[in-house]
Amino acid sequence: VFAAAAFYYKKISYKHVVLIILLIGLILRIYYVLCTPYSVRQHDFYELGDKGHYEYIYKIFTDWQLPDNFGNQFYHPPLHHFISACMLKISQLIGFDIIRSYEGLQLLTAFYSFVIMVIACKIFYEIGLKGRALFIAAGIMAVHPTFLILGGSLNNDVLSVMFIAIALLYCIKWYKSPTFKNIIVIALAIGLGMMTKLSAGTIAIVIGAVFLIKWLNQPKFYKQGKFYAQFAVFAAICFPLALWHP
């Protein structure tokens, strides 16, 4: 399908071809989670009583409290688990039992995986990929097994990767156009990513290097004014979000 799309891309808009690829990726993700029970091919999920992601979500779902210790997976920040607990509450209000509700959480993680695919395509476009190169890269993202499996995994990995991808996209945008809007999105993405999983903060090393390079290449006037203000806004947003839990 991707080869045919690449061959005929000159006859239709490239945006339509990318849209078809994204649609194929979405269908694959939905198909995977519908065919895969929530207890299959999970990572660090465990069962109730084992202090895995299952119990973390369930504890917030039942009493709206964070774990009172840091055993096993309880050390993670709570954003993913809180969103999942809210989804469980909604499923319960609709009338689903707890097993069916956990199955429904896979649609949430499949959505995160789909967003990663969309953001990746935007990154490919921003760095200048066009034509067949863009289609091949988008096709790999659409069918790559890692992102299909992540789409059905109920731990916090896929949401953290989604925020990393958003931060990377807007880092590229900010390098091209250093506006407050772009740096605020970067700050939110890194902060929320670290509210999901602390390892999402590793992207800050790369983004910090980009900030430094851009700052050093600017005239003195911009160094003294515009960029200092942007970095201050970045710190004011990112640091509290990222560091309140640890």
Side-chain angles (χ1 to χ4, degrees), residues 5 7 85 107 177 226:
F7 182 77
L107 294 176
S177 177
K226 175 181 177 182

Side-chain angles (χ1 to χ4, degrees), residues 45-52 54-59 102:
F45 198 62
Y46 308 147
E47 297 291 339
L48 285 178
D50 293 332
K51 297 181 180 179
Y54 187 117
E55 189 171 354
Y56 197 151
I57 295 169
Y58 191 76
K59 185 172 181 60
Y102 268 97

Side-chain angles (χ1 to χ4, degrees), residues 29 33 42-43 53 80 84 105-117 146-166 193 196-197 199-200:
R29 282 155 176 77
V33 300
Q42 296 295 338
H43 180 64
H53 293 284
H80 165 73
S84 298
L105 289 183
Q106 287 185 302
L107 294 176
L108 185 63
T109 52
F111 171 74
Y112 298 152
S113 180
F114 175 71
V115 172
I116 293 170
M117 180 173 58
T146 294
F147 295 102
L148 296 179
I149 293 173
L150 280 177
S153 300
L154 297 184
N155 64 1
N156 54 356
D157 287 340
V158 65
L159 182 58
S160 68
V161 174
M162 185 190 83
F163 283 124
I164 289 172
I166 293 172
T196 304
K197 189 171 185 179
S199 59

Side-chain angles (χ1 to χ4, degrees), residues 2-119:
F2 299 136
F7 182 77
Y8 289 108
Y9 80 96
K10 291 184 179 180
K11 298 183 180 180
I12 61 175
S13 168
Y14 82 91
K15 292 183 179 180
H16 291 155
V17 178
V18 173
L19 183 61
I20 292 170
I21 294 173
L22 291 174
L23 181 60
I24 292 171
L26 177 61
I27 292 172
L28 283 174
R29 282 155 176 77
I30 294 174
Y31 179 77
Y32 175 79
V33 300
L34 290 178
C35 294
T36 306
Y38 80 92
S39 58
V40 174
R41 285 188 288 275
Q42 296 295 338
H43 180 64
D44 294 336
F45 198 62
Y46 308 147
E47 297 291 339
L48 285 178
D50 293 332
K51 297 181 180 179
H53 293 284
Y54 187 117
E55 189 171 354
Y56 197 151
I57 295 169
Y58 191 76
K59 185 172 181 60
I60 298 177
F61 166 69
T62 53
D63 56 21
W64 296 110
Q65 292 183 1
L66 296 178
D68 56 5
N69 62 78
F70 295 99
N72 284 355
Q73 304 306 311
F74 282 6
Y75 70 91
H76 285 288
L79 181 59
H80 165 73
H81 307 89
F82 177 77
I83 295 173
S84 298
C86 290
M87 285 294 295
L88 288 182
K89 285 290 185 183
I90 293 172
S91 297
Q92 293 281 283
L93 290 175
I94 294 174
F96 294 141
D97 60 32
I98 191 64
I99 300 300
R100 183 63 63 87
S101 297
Y102 268 97
E103 293 282 1
L105 289 183
Q106 287 185 302
L107 294 176
L108 185 63
T109 52
F111 171 74
Y112 298 152
S113 180
F114 175 71
V115 172
I116 293 170
M117 180 173 58
V118 173
I119 295 298

